Amino acid sequence: GVAAAGLVANAIVVRLLHGHHHDDLNVRGAYLHVIGDLLASAAVIAGGVLIWATGWTLVDPILGFAIGLLLLWGAGRLVRESLHVLMEGVPAGLTVEGVAAAVLAVPGVGDFHRVHIWSLCSHIRALSAHVTVDVAAGRSTATVLDDVNALLHERRPDLAGELVADGLHPSA
């Protein structure tokens, strides 16, 4: 009875979290926890039926070990992604080179350097960089920075950026 109620309750929570567990590490952790509870409830029911029908008690530790391995694999992925955020690694799907190439294509950008891209959390990215404006291009610093910010926002709305204009120089 208790295992069946737990199975139903956990199935409902899994269903509610399912569409959101890829977006946020905290939700993914909760999802993984509930999946573990769901599997444990299912294993208790299945193991109980099998033990009752056959008397084979070894099924209980076998099911527990299998669930533990599955949860350990999921937890390992979660820890790895959390460490990547904590160590301010470049988020998946972005490269410094790719962002730099796009920004350097904006008219009036002479150079793009001191680029740092990291995750503030699992779904918000940050960028800090210096932009050198080519004054010979005939565009104001503010216009060039606005264009760079618009490009970044258009391509990656989840990327919050801070750009610093430095070392205005004439085109060579």
Side-chain angles (χ1 to χ4, degrees), residues 17-33:
L17 293 176
H18 181 68
H20 307 286
H21 74 280
H22 293 293
D23 303 331
D24 187 286
L25 286 173
N26 293 322
V27 174
R28 193 169 317 139
Y31 183 75
L32 183 64
H33 180 92

Side-chain angles (χ1 to χ4, degrees), residues 36 94 106 112 131 150:
L94 284 173
V106 172
F112 187 64
V131 177

Side-chain angles (χ1 to χ4, degrees), residues 88-109:
E88 297 184 357
V90 176
L94 284 173
T95 64
V96 171
E97 296 80 12
V99 171
V103 170
L104 287 169
V106 172
V109 173

